[in-house]
Amino acid sequence: MTTTTTVSFDLGVHYGQAYLVDATDDAMGPEDLLDDHPAHPVGIIRVEDGNAFLITGLHTGTVGFSVMVADHDPGADTDAYEDIVEISFESEAGQVTLDEWGGSEVHEIPELPAGPGWYRLRYHAQNMDAAAEADTSQEIIDRYLLQIWPQEESEPRVVQSASGQLAYWCSPR
C-alpha cells in the first residue's frame, strides 16, 4: 500500500527565503544562500548538511505552500506549475520542518516514510515572476509545492522551466 500525506499553509517569507531543516540541526536554516550544484544548477532550491534553502518569487509577504510526503515518487505536477526542479537531500533524523525566515514560524511536516536516509525533493513554483514584480504582498501571488520521497542520491535536474526567476537563479553569479 502506498501512502501520501500533504499539508498546506500560508508561508510568511522575508528576502524570498524558506528553509527545510532536518530535526538534528540546531539552527533554523542556513544563514546564507547555499551554493547551487556546480554541474547541474537548479537555482531555486539548494541543499547542504541537512538543510534545504528554498527561494520564492515574493520578497516579503505570504505565499501559498504545500508539502507532500510520499513513500514513492508521486510524479511532477507539470500542468499546475511553471517551474519544477529536483535535488537530493539527506535526512539524519527522518523528520524535517519548514521554517520561515529567522525562525519566526516553524511548520511541522509529516514524518519521512523511510526514516533517516536519502530523499528526493521536487520543488514546484507558480507565478514567481508576478510575485517578484510585486515584491511585497500579504495576498498570495505565488504558490509552491514541495514533494519529498525516499530515493537514493542522484544528480539535480530541472524538470520544467518557464519563469524568468528560475532562469535568473540558475545563472552563474
Side-chain angles (χ1 to χ4, degrees), residues 44-105:
I44 58 175
I45 186 169
R46 287 123 187 257
V47 172
E48 184 178 291
D49 298 331
N51 289 300
F53 190 106
L54 298 103
I55 297 170
T56 64
L58 193 67
H59 181 277
T60 303
T62 304
V63 302
F65 210 97
S66 295
V67 179
M68 175 189 292
V69 176
D71 61 359
H72 64 287
D73 181 349
D77 189 346
T78 57
D79 293 332
Y81 294 89
E82 296 169 325
D83 300 311
I84 304 170
V85 298
E86 294 180 3
I87 197 164
S88 293
F89 174 85
E90 186 175 20
S91 172
E92 290 182 27
Q95 182 68 45
V96 294
T97 58
L98 190 71
D99 297 6
E100 295 183 5
W101 186 84
S104 59
E105 189 165 346

Side-chain angles (χ1 to χ4, degrees), residues 9-13 16-18 56-66 98 100 123 126 131 137-144:
F9 43 85
D10 292 347
L11 179 71
V13 296
Q17 300 173 16
T56 64
L58 193 67
H59 181 277
T60 303
T62 304
V63 302
F65 210 97
S66 295
L98 190 71
E100 295 183 5
Y123 189 41
Q126 180 67 27
S137 177
Q138 291 307 315
E139 293 187 27
I140 294 175
I141 299 170
D142 48 342
R143 60 188 179 90
Y144 301 86

